Amino acid sequence: MAKKQVLVACGAGIATSTVVNGAIEEMAKEHNLDVDLAQIKIAEVGSYVDTADLLVTTAMTQKDYPFPVINARSFLTGIGTEDTKKEILTALQK
């Protein structure tokens, strides 16, 4: 399976994306997935359109991208985290 580039974005690219970035890193290790994580601001997503395979974000986005976009606010609330993890894993295993 080819290495996937995963964008992990929040408003400032610092706080909430760090929480999600750590969770994805852990999931990738557990499932032996080769991922390249890029922790960024949501405003920077456009510059990765040609290289990214997945966007996981805690920020609001209404733009369409040529890759799946997964809302990860559940990592902040603790509600629905397992469902979000499954959604991320499914996207990474494609």
Side-chain angles (χ1 to χ4, degrees):
M1 188 177 295
K3 189 174 200 171
K4 304 264 183 162
Q5 182 178 40
V6 180
L7 305 176
V8 184
C10 67
I14 299 169
T16 59
S17 58
T18 299
V19 173
V20 176
N21 197 61
I24 295 172
E25 217 169 41
E26 189 175 306
M27 285 190 300
K29 284 181 187 172
E30 287 175 9
H31 297 275
N32 293 321
L33 297 171
D34 196 11
V35 296
D36 176 23
L37 295 170
Q39 188 174 335
I40 62 171
K41 297 175 189 173
I42 192 71
E44 298 173 325
V45 174
S47 59
Y48 291 88
V49 165
D50 294 333
T51 58
D53 297 297
L54 174 66
L55 168 62
V56 181
T57 182
T58 59
M60 297 291 289
T61 182
Q62 296 184 359
K63 291 184 178 179
D64 289 326
Y65 296 104
F67 41 77
V69 177
I70 296 175
N71 179 318
R73 283 190 293 274
S74 65
F75 283 94
L76 309 178
T77 64
I79 300 169
T81 306
E82 290 307 313
D83 289 339
T84 304
K85 284 182 176 180
K86 285 179 189 170
E87 194 177 354
I88 293 168
L89 274 176
T90 299
L92 291 176
Q93 292 172 331
K94 285 185 179 176

